[in-house]
Coordinates of all heavy atoms in Angstrom, one line a residue:
Chain I
R9 N 5.2 24.2 3.5 CA 6.2 25.0 4.2 C 5.5 26.3 4.7 O 5.0 27.0 3.8 CB 7.3 25.4 3.3 CG 8.4 26.3 3.8 CD 9.5 26.4 2.8 NE 10.6 27.2 3.2 CZ 10.7 28.5 2.9 NH1 9.8 29.1 2.2 NH2 11.8 29.2 3.3
D12 N 7.0 29.3 10.9 CA 7.1 28.5 12.1 C 6.1 29.0 13.2 O 5.9 30.2 13.4 CB 8.5 28.6 12.7 CG 8.8 27.7 13.8 OD1 8.3 28.0 15.0 OD2 9.5 26.7 13.6
Y13 N 5.5 28.0 13.9 CA 4.5 28.4 14.9 C 5.0 29.3 16.0 O 4.2 30.0 16.7 CB 3.8 27.2 15.4 CG 4.6 26.4 16.4 CD1 4.4 26.5 17.8 CD2 5.5 25.5 15.9 CE1 5.1 25.8 18.6 CE2 6.3 24.7 16.8 CZ 6.1 24.9 18.2 OH 6.8 24.1 19.1
N14 N 6.3 29.3 16.2 CA 6.9 30.2 17.3 C 7.0 31.6 16.9 O 7.1 32.5 17.7 CB 8.3 29.7 17.6 CG 8.3 28.5 18.4 OD1 7.6 28.3 19.4 ND2 9.1 27.5 18.0
V15 N 7.0 31.9 15.6 CA 7.2 33.2 15.1 C 5.9 34.1 15.3 O 4.8 33.6 15.1 CB 7.6 33.2 13.6 CG1 7.6 34.6 13.0 CG2 8.9 32.5 13.4
K16 N 6.2 35.3 15.7 CA 5.0 36.2 15.9 C 4.9 37.0 14.5 O 5.8 37.8 14.2 CB 5.3 37.2 17.0 CG 5.7 36.6 18.3 CD 4.5 35.7 18.9 CE 4.9 35.0 20.2 NZ 5.7 33.7 20.0
V17 N 3.9 36.6 13.7 CA 3.9 37.2 12.4 C 3.5 38.7 12.5 O 2.9 39.2 13.4 CB 2.8 36.5 11.5 CG1 3.2 35.1 11.2 CG2 1.4 36.6 12.1
R18 N 4.1 39.4 11.5 CA 3.9 40.8 11.4 C 3.4 41.2 10.1 O 3.9 40.7 9.0 CB 5.3 41.4 11.7 CG 5.3 42.9 11.7 CD 6.6 43.4 12.2 NE 7.8 42.8 11.5 CZ 8.3 43.4 10.5 NH1 7.9 44.6 10.0 NH2 9.4 42.9 9.8
V19 N 2.3 42.0 10.1 CA 1.7 42.5 8.8 C 2.7 43.5 8.2 O 3.2 44.3 8.8 CB 0.3 43.1 9.1 CG1 -0.2 43.7 7.8 CG2 -0.6 42.0 9.6
K20 N 2.8 43.4 6.9 CA 3.7 44.3 6.1 C 3.1 45.7 6.2 O 1.9 45.9 6.3 CB 3.8 43.9 4.7 CG 4.7 42.8 4.4 CD 4.8 42.7 2.8 CE 5.5 41.4 2.5 NZ 5.2 41.0 1.1
A21 N 4.0 46.7 6.2 CA 3.5 48.1 6.3 C 2.5 48.5 5.3 O 1.6 49.2 5.5 CB 4.7 49.1 6.3
D22 N 2.6 47.9 4.1 CA 1.6 48.2 3.0 C 0.4 47.3 3.0 O -0.5 47.4 2.1 CB 2.3 48.2 1.6 CG 2.7 46.8 1.3 OD1 2.4 45.8 2.0 OD2 3.3 46.6 0.2
Q23 N 0.2 46.5 4.1 CA -1.0 45.7 4.3 C -1.2 44.7 3.2 O -2.4 44.2 3.0 CB -2.2 46.6 4.5 CG -2.0 47.5 5.6 CD -3.3 48.3 5.9 OE1 -4.1 48.5 5.1 NE2 -3.5 48.8 7.2
G25 N 0.3 41.8 3.0 CA 0.4 40.4 3.4 C 1.3 40.4 4.7 O 1.4 41.4 5.3
E27 N 5.0 39.7 6.7 CA 6.4 39.7 6.5 C 7.0 38.3 6.4 O 6.9 37.6 7.4 CB 7.1 40.6 7.6 CG 8.5 41.1 7.3 CD 8.5 42.0 6.0 OE1 8.0 43.1 6.0 OE2 9.1 41.5 5.1
L28 N 7.7 38.0 5.4 CA 8.3 36.6 5.3 C 9.8 36.7 5.2 O 10.5 35.6 5.3 CB 7.7 35.9 4.1 CG 6.2 35.5 4.2 CD1 5.8 34.8 2.9 CD2 6.0 34.7 5.4
A29 N 10.4 37.9 5.0 CA 11.8 37.9 4.7 C 12.6 37.5 6.0 O 12.4 38.1 7.1 CB 12.2 39.4 4.4
N30 N 13.4 36.5 5.8 CA 14.3 36.0 6.9 C 13.5 35.5 8.1 O 14.0 35.4 9.2 CB 15.3 37.0 7.4 CG 16.2 37.4 6.2 OD1 16.9 36.6 5.6 ND2 16.2 38.7 5.9
V31 N 12.2 35.1 7.9 CA 11.4 34.6 9.0 C 11.6 33.1 9.0 O 11.7 32.4 7.9 CB 9.9 34.9 8.7 CG1 9.0 34.1 9.6 CG2 9.7 36.4 8.9
K32 N 11.7 32.5 10.2 CA 11.9 31.1 10.3 C 10.6 30.3 9.8 O 9.5 30.6 10.1 CB 12.1 30.7 11.8 CG 11.9 29.2 12.1 CD 13.2 28.6 12.3 CE 13.3 27.1 12.3 NZ 12.2 26.2 12.5
M33 N 10.9 29.4 8.8 CA 9.8 28.6 8.2 C 10.0 27.1 8.7 O 11.0 26.7 9.2 CB 9.9 28.6 6.7 CG 10.0 30.0 6.1 SD 8.5 31.0 6.3 CE 7.5 30.3 4.9
E44 N 3.9 11.5 10.3 CA 4.1 10.6 11.4 C 3.1 9.4 11.3 O 3.5 8.2 11.4 CB 3.9 11.3 12.7 CG 4.0 10.4 14.0 CD 5.4 9.9 14.2 OE1 6.4 10.6 13.9 OE2 5.5 8.7 14.8
R48 N 4.2 5.5 10.7 CA 3.8 4.5 11.7 C 3.1 3.3 10.9 O 3.3 2.2 11.3 CB 2.9 5.1 12.7 CG 3.6 5.9 13.7 CD 2.7 6.3 14.9 NE 3.4 7.4 15.7 CZ 2.9 7.9 16.8 NH1 1.7 7.5 17.2 NH2 3.6 8.8 17.4
Q67 N 12.8 26.3 -1.6 CA 13.1 25.9 -0.2 C 12.2 24.9 0.4 O 12.5 24.4 1.5 CB 13.1 27.2 0.7 CG 14.2 28.2 0.5 CD 13.8 29.2 -0.6 OE1 13.2 28.9 -1.6 NE2 14.2 30.5 -0.3
E70 N 13.6 21.7 1.8 CA 13.9 21.5 3.2 C 12.8 20.8 3.9 O 13.0 19.9 4.8 CB 14.3 22.8 3.9 CG 15.5 23.5 3.4 CD 15.6 24.9 3.8 OE1 15.0 25.4 4.7 OE2 16.3 25.7 3.1
N181 N -1.7 11.9 16.7 CA -0.4 11.3 17.2 C 0.5 12.5 17.7 O 0.2 13.6 17.4 CB 0.3 10.4 16.2 CG 0.7 11.2 14.9 OD1 1.3 12.3 15.1 ND2 0.3 10.8 13.8
E182 N 1.6 12.1 18.3 CA 2.6 13.1 18.6 C 3.9 12.8 17.8 O 4.5 11.8 18.0 CB 2.9 13.1 20.1 CG 3.5 14.4 20.5 CD 4.0 14.4 22.0 OE1 3.2 13.9 22.8 OE2 5.1 14.8 22.2
P183 N 4.2 13.7 16.8 CA 5.3 13.4 15.9 C 6.6 13.2 16.6 O 6.8 13.8 17.6 CB 5.3 14.6 14.9 CG 4.0 15.2 15.0 CD 3.5 14.9 16.4
R184 N 7.4 12.3 16.1 CA 8.7 12.1 16.7 C 9.7 13.2 16.4 O 9.4 14.0 15.5 CB 9.3 10.8 16.2 CG 9.6 10.8 14.7 CD 9.9 9.5 14.0 NE 8.6 8.7 14.0 CZ 8.5 7.5 13.6 NH1 9.6 6.8 13.2 NH2 7.4 6.8 13.5
Y185 N 10.8 13.2 17.1 CA 11.9 14.1 16.7 C 12.6 13.5 15.5 O 12.9 12.3 15.4 CB 12.9 14.2 17.9 CG 12.4 14.9 19.1 CD1 11.9 14.2 20.2 CD2 12.5 16.3 19.2 CE1 11.5 14.8 21.3 CE2 12.1 16.9 20.3 CZ 11.6 16.2 21.4 OH 11.1 16.8 22.5
A186 N 13.0 14.4 14.6 CA 13.9 14.0 13.5 C 15.3 13.9 14.1 O 15.9 14.9 14.6 CB 13.9 15.0 12.4
T187 N 15.9 12.7 14.2 CA 17.2 12.5 14.8 C 18.3 12.9 13.8 O 18.1 12.9 12.6 CB 17.4 11.1 15.3 OG1 17.5 10.2 14.1 CG2 16.3 10.6 16.2
L188 N 19.5 13.2 14.3 CA 20.6 13.5 13.5 C 20.9 12.5 12.4 O 21.0 12.8 11.2 CB 21.9 13.8 14.3 CG 22.4 15.2 14.3 CD1 23.7 15.3 15.1 CD2 22.7 15.7 12.9
P189 N 21.1 11.2 12.8 CA 21.3 10.2 11.8 C 20.2 10.1 10.7 O 20.5 9.9 9.5 CB 21.4 8.9 12.6 CG 21.7 9.3 14.0 CD 21.1 10.6 14.2
N190 N 19.0 10.3 11.1 CA 17.9 10.2 10.1 C 17.9 11.5 9.2 O 17.5 11.4 8.1 CB 16.6 10.1 10.8 CG 16.4 8.7 11.4 OD1 17.1 7.7 10.9 ND2 15.5 8.5 12.4
I191 N 18.3 12.6 9.8 CA 18.4 13.8 8.9 C 19.5 13.6 7.9 O 19.4 13.9 6.7 CB 18.7 15.0 9.8 CG1 17.5 15.4 10.7 CG2 19.1 16.2 8.9 CD1 17.7 16.5 11.7
M192 N 20.6 13.0 8.4 CA 21.7 12.7 7.4 C 21.2 11.7 6.3 O 21.5 11.9 5.2 CB 22.9 12.1 8.2 CG 23.6 13.1 9.1 SD 24.9 12.3 10.0 CE 25.3 13.6 11.1
K193 N 20.5 10.7 6.7 CA 20.1 9.7 5.8 C 19.1 10.3 4.8 O 19.1 10.0 3.6 CB 19.4 8.5 6.5 CG 20.4 7.5 7.0 CD 19.6 6.4 7.7 CE 20.5 5.8 8.9 NZ 19.7 5.4 10.1
K195 N 19.1 13.2 3.6 CA 19.8 13.9 2.5 C 20.1 13.1 1.3 O 20.3 13.6 0.2 CB 21.1 14.5 3.0 CG 21.0 15.6 4.0 CD 22.3 16.2 4.3 CE 22.0 17.4 5.2 NZ 23.2 18.2 5.5
K196 N 20.1 11.7 1.5 CA 20.4 10.8 0.4 C 19.2 10.2 -0.2 O 19.3 9.5 -1.2 CB 21.4 9.7 0.9 CG 22.7 10.3 1.5 CD 23.8 9.3 1.5 CE 25.1 10.0 2.0 NZ 25.1 10.2 3.5
E222 N -3.7 43.6 11.1 CA -3.4 43.0 12.4 C -4.7 43.0 13.2 O -5.5 43.9 13.1 CB -2.3 43.8 13.1 CG -1.1 43.0 13.4 CD 0.2 43.9 13.5 OE1 0.2 44.9 14.2 OE2 1.1 43.6 12.7
Chain Z
E8 N 24.6 6.6 19.5 CA 25.2 6.4 18.1 C 26.4 7.3 18.0 O 26.4 8.4 18.5 CB 24.2 6.7 17.1 CG 23.9 5.6 16.1 CD 22.8 5.9 15.2 OE1 21.6 5.9 15.6 OE2 23.1 6.1 14.0
M10 N 29.2 9.2 15.3 CA 29.5 9.6 13.9 C 30.9 10.2 13.9 O 31.2 11.0 14.8 CB 28.5 10.4 13.3 CG 27.4 9.6 12.7 SD 26.0 10.5 12.1 CE 25.4 11.1 13.6
Y12 N 33.9 12.6 12.2 CA 34.3 13.7 11.3 C 35.7 14.0 11.5 O 36.3 13.7 12.5 CB 33.4 14.9 11.6 CG 32.0 14.8 11.1 CD1 31.0 14.2 12.0 CD2 31.6 15.1 9.8 CE1 29.7 14.1 11.6 CE2 30.3 15.0 9.4 CZ 29.3 14.4 10.3 OH 28.1 14.3 9.8
C44 N 31.6 19.2 10.2 CA 30.2 19.2 10.7 C 30.0 20.3 11.7 O 30.9 20.5 12.6 CB 29.9 17.8 11.3 SG 28.4 17.8 12.2
V46 N 27.3 22.0 14.5 CA 26.1 21.9 15.2 C 25.7 23.2 15.7 O 26.5 24.0 16.1 CB 26.1 20.8 16.3 CG1 26.1 19.4 15.8 CG2 27.2 21.1 17.3
S50 N 17.1 26.9 16.2 CA 16.3 26.1 15.4 C 16.7 26.3 13.9 O 16.4 25.4 13.1 CB 14.8 26.6 15.5 OG 14.7 27.9 15.0
E51 N 17.4 27.3 13.6 CA 18.0 27.5 12.3 C 19.3 28.3 12.4 O 19.5 29.0 13.5 CB 17.1 28.1 11.3 CG 16.6 29.5 11.7 CD 15.9 30.3 10.6 OE1 15.7 29.8 9.5 OE2 15.4 31.4 10.9
A54 N 19.1 32.0 14.2 CA 18.0 32.1 15.1 C 18.5 32.6 16.5 O 17.7 33.3 17.2 CB 17.3 30.8 15.3
N119 N 21.2 37.6 9.7 CA 21.0 37.3 8.2 C 22.4 37.1 7.6 O 22.5 36.3 6.6 CB 20.3 38.5 7.6 CG 18.9 38.6 8.0 OD1 18.4 37.7 8.6 ND2 18.3 39.8 7.7
R122 N 23.1 33.6 8.2 CA 22.3 32.7 7.3 C 23.0 32.6 6.0 O 23.1 31.5 5.4 CB 20.9 33.3 7.1 CG 20.0 33.1 8.4 CD 18.6 33.7 8.2 NE 17.8 33.5 9.4 CZ 17.7 34.4 10.4 NH1 18.3 35.6 10.3 NH2 17.0 34.1 11.5
E129 N 27.5 25.5 3.3 CA 26.9 24.2 2.8 C 27.3 24.0 1.3 O 27.4 22.8 0.9 CB 25.4 24.3 2.9 CG 25.0 24.1 4.4 CD 23.5 23.9 4.6 OE1 22.7 24.7 4.1 OE2 23.1 23.0 5.4
E134 N 28.6 20.2 6.5 CA 27.3 19.7 7.0 C 26.9 20.5 8.2 O 27.6 20.6 9.2 CB 27.3 18.2 7.4 CG 27.6 17.3 6.2 CD 27.7 15.8 6.7 OE1 27.0 15.5 7.7 OE2 28.5 15.1 6.1
I135 N 25.7 21.2 8.1 CA 25.3 22.1 9.2 C 24.0 21.5 9.8 O 23.1 21.2 9.0 CB 25.0 23.5 8.8 CG1 26.3 24.1 8.1 CG2 24.6 24.4 10.0 CD1 26.1 25.5 7.7
Y136 N 24.0 21.3 11.1 CA 22.8 20.7 11.7 C 22.2 21.7 12.8 O 22.6 21.6 14.0 CB 23.1 19.3 12.3 CG 23.5 18.4 11.3 CD1 24.8 17.9 11.1 CD2 22.5 17.9 10.4 CE1 25.2 17.1 10.1 CE2 22.9 17.0 9.3 CZ 24.2 16.6 9.2 OH 24.5 15.8 8.2
F139 N 20.4 21.3 17.0 CA 21.1 20.3 17.9 C 22.1 21.0 18.7 O 23.0 21.6 18.2 CB 21.8 19.2 17.0 CG 20.8 18.3 16.3 CD1 20.3 18.6 15.0 CD2 20.2 17.2 17.0 CE1 19.4 17.9 14.4 CE2 19.3 16.4 16.4 CZ 18.8 16.8 15.1
T157 N 25.5 15.5 21.3 CA 24.3 16.4 21.3 C 23.4 15.9 22.5 O 23.5 14.8 22.9 CB 23.6 16.2 20.0 OG1 23.1 14.9 19.8 CG2 24.5 16.6 18.8
M160 N 16.8 14.4 23.4 CA 15.5 15.1 23.1 C 14.4 14.3 23.8 O 14.5 13.1 23.9 CB 15.2 15.1 21.6 CG 16.4 15.6 20.7 SD 16.5 17.4 20.8 CE 16.2 17.8 19.1
G161 N 13.4 15.1 24.3 CA 12.2 14.4 24.8 C 12.4 13.9 26.2 O 11.9 12.8 26.5
L162 N 13.2 14.6 27.0 CA 13.3 14.1 28.4 C 12.2 14.8 29.2 O 11.7 15.8 28.9 CB 14.6 14.6 29.0 CG 15.9 13.9 28.5 CD1 17.1 14.6 29.1 CD2 15.9 12.4 28.8
P170 N 7.9 9.9 26.4 CA 7.4 9.0 25.4 C 8.1 9.1 24.0 O 8.2 8.2 23.3 CB 5.9 9.4 25.2 CG 5.8 10.7 25.9 CD 6.8 10.8 26.9
N171 N 8.6 10.3 23.7 CA 9.2 10.5 22.4 C 10.7 10.6 22.5 O 11.4 11.2 21.7 CB 8.7 11.8 21.7 CG 7.5 11.5 20.8 OD1 7.1 10.3 20.7 ND2 6.9 12.5 20.3
H172 N 11.3 10.1 23.6 CA 12.7 10.3 23.9 C 13.6 9.8 22.8 O 13.4 8.8 22.2 CB 13.0 9.6 25.2 CG 14.5 9.6 25.5 ND1 15.3 8.5 25.5 CD2 15.3 10.7 25.8 CE1 16.5 8.9 25.8 NE2 16.6 10.2 26.0
E173 N 14.6 10.7 22.4 CA 15.6 10.3 21.5 C 17.0 10.5 22.1 O 17.2 11.7 22.6 CB 15.5 11.0 20.2 CG 14.3 10.8 19.3 CD 14.4 9.4 18.6 OE1 15.4 8.7 18.7 OE2 13.3 9.0 18.1
I176 N 23.6 12.1 20.1 CA 24.5 11.5 19.2 C 25.9 11.9 19.6 O 26.1 13.0 20.0 CB 24.3 11.9 17.8 CG1 22.8 11.7 17.4 CG2 25.2 11.2 16.8 CD1 22.5 10.2 17.3
L178 N 29.4 12.9 18.3 CA 30.1 13.4 17.1 C 31.6 13.4 17.4 O 32.1 14.2 18.2 CB 29.6 14.8 16.6 CG 28.2 14.8 16.2 CD1 27.8 16.3 16.0 CD2 27.9 14.0 15.0
E221 N 10.7 49.4 13.2 CA 10.4 50.0 11.8 C 9.9 51.4 12.1 O 8.9 51.6 12.8 CB 9.3 49.1 11.2 CG 9.0 49.5 9.8 CD 8.0 48.5 9.2 OE1 6.9 48.4 9.7 OE2 8.3 47.7 8.3
L257 N 14.3 50.3 8.8 CA 14.6 49.6 10.0 C 15.7 50.3 10.8 O 16.6 50.9 10.3 CB 15.0 48.2 9.8 CG 14.0 47.3 9.1 CD1 14.6 45.9 8.9 CD2 12.7 47.1 10.0
R296 N 7.1 51.2 15.0 CA 6.7 50.0 15.7 C 7.9 49.1 16.0 O 8.7 48.9 15.2 CB 5.5 49.3 15.1 CG 5.8 48.8 13.7 CD 4.7 48.0 13.2 NE 4.9 47.5 11.8 CZ 4.3 46.6 11.2 NH1 3.3 46.0 11.8 NH2 4.6 46.3 9.9
R297 N 7.8 48.5 17.2 CA 8.9 47.6 17.6 C 8.6 46.2 17.0 O 7.5 45.7 17.1 CB 8.9 47.5 19.1 CG 10.1 46.9 19.7 CD 10.1 47.0 21.2 NE 9.0 46.2 21.8 CZ 9.2 45.6 23.0 NH1 10.4 45.6 23.6 NH2 8.2 44.9 23.5
I298 N 9.6 45.7 16.4 CA 9.4 44.4 15.7 C 10.0 43.2 16.4 O 9.5 42.1 16.4 CB 10.1 44.5 14.3 CG1 9.4 45.5 13.4 CG2 10.1 43.2 13.6 CD1 10.2 45.8 12.2
F455 N 8.0 38.1 24.4 CA 7.0 37.6 23.5 C 7.5 37.8 22.0 O 7.4 36.9 21.2 CB 5.7 38.3 23.7 CG 4.6 37.9 22.8 CD1 4.0 36.6 23.0 CD2 4.1 38.6 21.8 CE1 2.9 36.2 22.2 CE2 3.1 38.2 20.9 CZ 2.5 37.0 21.2
I456 N 8.0 39.0 21.7 CA 8.4 39.2 20.3 C 9.8 38.7 19.9 O 10.2 38.9 18.8 CB 8.2 40.7 19.9 CG1 9.1 41.6 20.8 CG2 6.8 41.2 19.8 CD1 9.1 43.0 20.3
A458 N 10.1 35.6 20.0 CA 9.7 34.3 19.6 C 10.5 33.2 20.3 O 10.9 32.2 19.6 CB 9.8 34.2 18.0
T459 N 10.6 33.3 21.6 CA 11.3 32.3 22.3 C 10.4 31.2 22.8 O 9.3 31.4 23.2 CB 11.9 33.0 23.6 OG1 12.9 34.0 23.2 CG2 12.6 32.0 24.5
N460 N 10.9 30.0 22.6 CA 10.2 28.8 23.0 C 11.1 27.7 23.4 O 12.2 27.5 22.9 CB 9.3 28.4 21.8 CG 8.4 27.2 22.2 OD1 7.8 27.2 23.3 ND2 8.2 26.3 21.4
A462 N 10.7 23.5 24.7 CA 9.7 22.4 24.9 C 9.4 22.4 26.4 O 10.3 22.5 27.2 CB 10.4 21.1 24.5
E537 N 17.1 21.6 25.4 CA 16.8 20.7 24.2 C 17.1 21.5 23.0 O 16.7 22.7 22.9 CB 15.4 20.3 24.3 CG 15.0 19.3 23.2 CD 13.6 18.7 23.4 OE1 13.5 17.9 24.4 OE2 12.7 19.1 22.7
N543 N 13.9 32.8 18.4 CA 13.9 32.6 17.0 C 13.9 34.0 16.4 O 12.9 34.6 15.9 CB 12.6 31.9 16.5 CG 12.6 30.5 16.8 OD1 13.3 29.7 16.1 ND2 11.9 30.0 17.8
Y544 N 15.1 34.6 16.5 CA 15.3 36.0 16.1 C 15.2 36.1 14.5 O 16.0 35.4 13.8 CB 16.6 36.5 16.5 CG 16.9 36.7 18.0 CD1 18.1 36.3 18.5 CD2 15.9 37.2 18.8 CE1 18.4 36.4 19.8 CE2 16.2 37.3 20.2 CZ 17.4 36.9 20.7 OH 17.7 37.0 22.0
P545 N 14.3 37.0 14.0 CA 14.4 37.3 12.6 C 15.2 38.6 12.4 O 15.0 39.5 13.2 CB 13.0 37.5 12.2 CG 12.3 38.0 13.5 CD 13.2 37.6 14.6
N546 N 16.1 38.7 11.5 CA 16.7 40.0 11.2 C 17.5 40.7 12.3 O 17.5 41.9 12.4 CB 15.7 41.0 10.6 CG 14.9 40.4 9.5 OD1 15.6 39.9 8.5 ND2 13.6 40.5 9.5

Side-chain angles (χ1 to χ4, degrees):
Chain I
R9 177 176 181 265
D12 187 284
Y13 72 99
N14 287 310
V15 171
K16 309 295 177 279
V17 293
R18 181 166 56 92
V19 174
K20 284 189 191 158
D22 66 2
Q23 303 186 336
E27 195 60 70
L28 293 179
N30 301 302
V31 167
K32 164 103 196 340
M33 306 294 277
E44 175 69 31
R48 286 186 191 183
Q67 289 93 320
E70 292 164 23
N181 61 49
E182 200 186 315
R184 67 194 69 187
Y185 290 98
T187 65
L188 247 183
N190 286 339
I191 291 175
M192 293 175 185
K193 279 179 213 144
K195 290 191 175 184
K196 302 201 177 78
E222 243 154 52
Chain Z
E8 236 176 285
M10 274 173 297
Y12 287 89
C44 167
V46 287
S50 63
E51 60 171 355
N119 292 347
R122 287 181 179 93
E129 285 191 314
E134 293 177 34
I135 305 182
Y136 297 106
F139 292 92
T157 63
M160 309 283 244
L162 290 175
N171 268 356
H172 174 248
E173 292 286 352
I176 305 294
L178 297 172
E221 187 175 62
L257 296 178
R296 58 173 178 166
R297 191 171 71 140
I298 294 171
F455 181 75
I456 56 171
T459 297
N460 186 39
E537 183 172 291
N543 283 285
Y544 295 139
N546 305 309

